[in-house]
């Protein structure tokens, strides 16, 4: 008899322990089509991420807006990459526009950024390999943001497939109403019933099974700070709903002060279908994090948890520096094995460019030269983008030209470049 392990043969033997599926392997086979297509990057990334989450105290990552940001993260030693829908909305979407985090951008934008990141990492690997051998694992697992699925179960199925085709290792889905979706740190969020989000999670799992990939499904709940819910159809939501208090749109209001309990209740429901649980928080609080973790682990021992170390928190206004320094270690000990700074790319890009422009306005090339000197200084720690021509693959494509012409090409680029003449090689 065919099992789900048979359908995803590269998955670890215990990969699906505790995961429930309301469908059968036969259902998956019927939906696969007649010709199996392999998704190597997604498969490899998912298996690597699963291994890291079970062998490291925790894995922390930063949100990347571009392929080059992700490349520098890997070069600096980070083992995973986060792909934020907020950052896709802000500056990395296929509409070529700037949006707030309200699912206003095209649904293919985040998968396209995932593809772009993987292509950049592939080029970095090719460059380093061509120079004598890759020195690191370039294809870091990408955990990607599917927002609220951009619709219902069928939309969740399709966007999960799109992320797998783009090479994502894990994908998270939040339990908001997709048409009213907001950043977890904005007001106006509207939850969907617990059972409705379970269907989205099941759809995502089905998509991964159909694709034959052990992609990690991450269930996020926004119940901690959400104030509205679409329906009272699910009895599990009743303790948290003011059933006689509705908005002009017809939404039910949620009871104030019950957010963390609601997160726990939803986390316990989602645990049967998801590989990791993430409850979005309004502030960095280790006591609250411990309470959620203990409640989940009492019923689901060892369940993997995720935590957003958000830039929306004013960290030093909330915590002292000593607590900030140990914050991720303590979370890891509680079982929050995946931790991330969602908007790191946005803030790093904007702050660094503002600082350069601010200095350049008054000091001209002296300000830029200072940036260049910082780049030279960082080379001692492994930074290589000072030599930007090499960084993007000029030498690699010279090797292609030389191979095509059996070494006779007279139009190779690097040898006569100012970079070769003025910048010392590694």
């Amino acid at each position: 008899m065919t099992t789900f392990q048979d359908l995803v043969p590269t998955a670890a033997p215990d990969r699906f322990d505790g995961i429930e599926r309301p469908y059968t392997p036969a259902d998956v086979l019927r939906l696969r089509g007649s010709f199996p297509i392999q998704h190597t990057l997604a498969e490899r990334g998912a298996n690597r991420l699963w291994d890291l989450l079970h062998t490291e105290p925790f894995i922390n990552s930063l949100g990347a807006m571009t392929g080059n940001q992700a490349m520098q993260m890997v070069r600096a030693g980070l083992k995973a990459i986060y792909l934020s829908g907020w950052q896709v909305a802000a500056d990395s979407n296929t509409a070529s526009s700037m949006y707030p985090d309200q699912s206003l951008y095209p649904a293919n934008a985040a998968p396209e950024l995932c593809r772009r990141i993987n292509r950049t990492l592939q080029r970095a690997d090719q460059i380093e390999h061509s120079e004598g051998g890759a020195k690191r694992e370039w294809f870091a697992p990408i955990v990607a943001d599917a927002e609220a699925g951009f619709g219902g179960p069928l939309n969740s199925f399709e966007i999960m497939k799109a992320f797998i085709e783009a090479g994502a290792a894990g994908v998270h889905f939040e339990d908001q109403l997709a048409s009213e979706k907001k950043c977890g740190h904005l007001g106006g969020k509207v939850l969907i019933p617990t059972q409705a989000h379970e269907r989205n999670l099941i759809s995502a799992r089905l998509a991964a099974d159909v694709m034959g990939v052990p992609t990690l499904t991450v269930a996020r709940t926004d119940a901690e700070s959400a104030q509205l819910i679409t329906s009272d159809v699910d009895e599990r939501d009743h303790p948290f709903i003011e059933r006689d208090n509705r908005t002009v749109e017809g939404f039910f209001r949620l009871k104030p002060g019950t957010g963390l309990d609601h997160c726990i209740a939803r986390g316990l429901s989602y645990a049967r279908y998801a590989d990791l649980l993430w409850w979005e928080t309004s502030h960095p609080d280790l006591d609250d994090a411990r309470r959620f973790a203990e409640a989940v682990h009492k019923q689901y021992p060892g369940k993997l948890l995720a935590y957003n170390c958000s830039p929306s928190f004013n960290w030093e206004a909330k915590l002292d520096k000593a607590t900030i320094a140990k914050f991720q270690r303590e979370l890891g000990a509680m079982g929050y094995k995946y931790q991330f700074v969602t908007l790191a790319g946005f803030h790093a890009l904007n702050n660094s460019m503002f600082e350069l422009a601010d200095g350049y306005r008054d000091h001209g090339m002296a300000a830029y030269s200072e940036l260049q000197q910082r780049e030279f200084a960082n080379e001692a720690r492994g930074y290589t983008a000072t030599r930007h021509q090499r960084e993007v693959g000029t030498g690699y494509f010279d090797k292609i030209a030389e191979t095509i012409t059996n070494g006779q090409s007279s139009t190779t680029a690097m040898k006569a470049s100012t970079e070769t003449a003025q910048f010392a090689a590694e």
Side-chain angles (χ1 to χ4, degrees):
M1 178 182 294
T2 302
T3 67
F4 288 110
Q5 189 71 42
D6 295 329
L7 295 177
V8 191
T10 66
D14 61 348
R15 173 65 183 81
F16 302 118
D17 288 358
I19 296 297
E20 296 183 17
R21 296 170 169 91
Y23 52 86
T24 68
D27 294 325
V28 174
L29 289 172
R30 186 170 61 251
L31 295 171
R32 275 191 171 179
S34 62
F35 183 78
I37 298 173
Q38 289 187 299
H39 302 280
T40 310
L41 285 179
E43 178 181 87
R44 190 169 187 268
N47 287 328
R48 179 167 172 75
L49 180 60
W50 184 257
D51 180 67
L52 288 169
L53 294 172
H54 286 83
T55 57
E56 300 278 348
F58 61 91
I59 295 298
N60 56 353
S61 62
L62 300 172
M65 292 186 74
T66 70
N68 272 261
Q69 284 189 336
M71 178 172 63
Q72 299 310 322
M73 293 171 188
V74 175
R75 192 179 295 284
L78 296 186
K79 297 179 180 179
I81 294 163
Y82 180 69
L83 192 162
S84 157
W86 194 104
Q87 294 189 149
V88 172
D91 201 21
S92 301
N93 60 75
T94 52
S96 302
S97 189
M98 182 170 71
Y99 295 113
D101 187 16
Q102 296 179 224
S103 287
L104 298 172
Y105 58 84
N108 72 331
E112 284 303 310
L113 177 57
C114 183
R115 194 184 315 276
R116 176 180 173 187
I117 288 171
N118 271 322
R119 284 174 174 166
T120 300
L121 298 180
Q122 180 184 27
R123 181 72 73 224
D125 176 74
Q126 290 169 338
I127 293 167
E128 199 167 76
H129 181 72
S130 73
E131 294 173 341
K135 302 174 184 177
R136 71 208 82 224
E137 171 55 63
W138 278 106
F139 293 98
I142 299 171
V143 178
D145 183 354
E147 308 230 339
F150 288 85
L154 297 183
N155 307 83
S156 298
F157 180 87
E158 283 297 295
I159 199 167
M160 183 65 146
K161 285 177 58 183
F163 273 121
I164 290 170
E165 289 170 345
V171 184
H172 68 77
F173 295 80
E174 61 204 51
D175 56 3
Q176 293 189 44
L177 176 63
S179 61
E180 294 287 351
K181 181 263 184 304
K182 306 291 192 304
C183 167
H185 300 106
L186 292 174
K189 295 184 293 294
V190 183
L191 300 183
I192 57 176
T194 297
Q195 65 185 29
H197 195 52
E198 288 175 335
R199 286 193 292 271
N200 290 340
L201 297 171
I202 291 166
S203 296
R205 176 76 61 193
L206 176 61
D209 286 341
V210 167
M211 305 286 269
V213 178
T215 310
L216 280 71
T217 301
V218 184
R220 166 176 149 178
T221 180
D222 284 272
E224 192 261 356
S225 61
Q227 298 178 0
L228 305 171
I229 189 169
T230 59
S231 169
D232 65 350
V233 67
D234 195 321
E235 291 185 357
R236 292 171 292 181
D237 295 324
H238 287 184
F240 312 106
I241 298 176
E242 294 182 342
R243 300 180 70 191
D244 58 350
N245 188 353
R246 305 182 74 165
T247 70
V248 293
E249 299 91 349
F251 302 136
F252 288 94
R253 296 190 187 278
L254 293 167
K255 294 178 181 178
T258 64
L260 180 50
D261 289 332
H262 199 176
C263 286
I264 291 170
R266 287 186 169 231
L268 292 172
S269 295
Y270 302 156
R272 297 175 294 162
Y273 306 110
D275 300 300
L276 289 90
L277 303 177
W278 163 14
W279 67 290
E280 185 72 302
T281 65
S282 299
H283 48 269
D285 189 303
L286 290 171
D287 291 334
D288 285 351
R290 185 175 293 106
R291 184 179 162 198
F292 180 88
E294 289 177 350
V296 169
H297 290 150
K298 183 178 180 179
Q299 187 166 332
Y300 296 96
K303 192 69 182 181
L304 297 172
L305 307 176
Y307 196 96
N308 175 12
C309 297
S310 176
S312 294
F313 306 152
N314 187 338
W315 283 84
E316 290 196 11
K318 289 288 185 180
L319 302 172
D320 60 70
K321 291 184 178 181
T323 302
I324 293 172
K326 67 179 182 179
F327 194 82
Q328 292 193 315
R329 291 194 302 274
E330 297 216 1
L331 285 177
M334 296 177 200
Y336 292 92
K337 297 299 185 179
Y338 184 63
Q339 303 173 36
F340 44 100
V341 181
T342 46
L343 316 184
F346 175 87
H347 287 281
L349 184 154
N350 280 282
N351 185 67
S352 61
M353 182 51 68
F354 177 84
E355 286 187 343
L356 174 60
D358 184 60
Y360 186 71
R361 180 196 62 233
D362 296 330
H363 306 293
M365 286 310 299
Y368 186 81
S369 178
E370 289 176 4
L371 167 63
Q372 192 174 65
Q373 290 306 308
R374 290 195 296 273
E375 289 189 280
F376 283 129
N378 280 332
E379 289 182 353
R381 295 185 288 167
Y383 180 78
T384 60
T386 318
R387 295 184 298 118
H388 48 261
Q389 307 286 15
R390 177 265 171 200
E391 190 80 357
V392 300
T394 304
Y396 175 77
F397 279 92
D398 278 352
K399 290 180 175 69
I400 293 174
E402 290 167 354
T403 302
I404 293 168
T405 62
N406 194 26
Q408 301 301 308
S409 174
S410 59
T411 60
T412 55
M414 279 298 291
K415 185 176 181 180
S417 70
T418 57
E419 185 167 290
T420 299
Q422 299 182 35
F423 291 73
E426 292 178 341

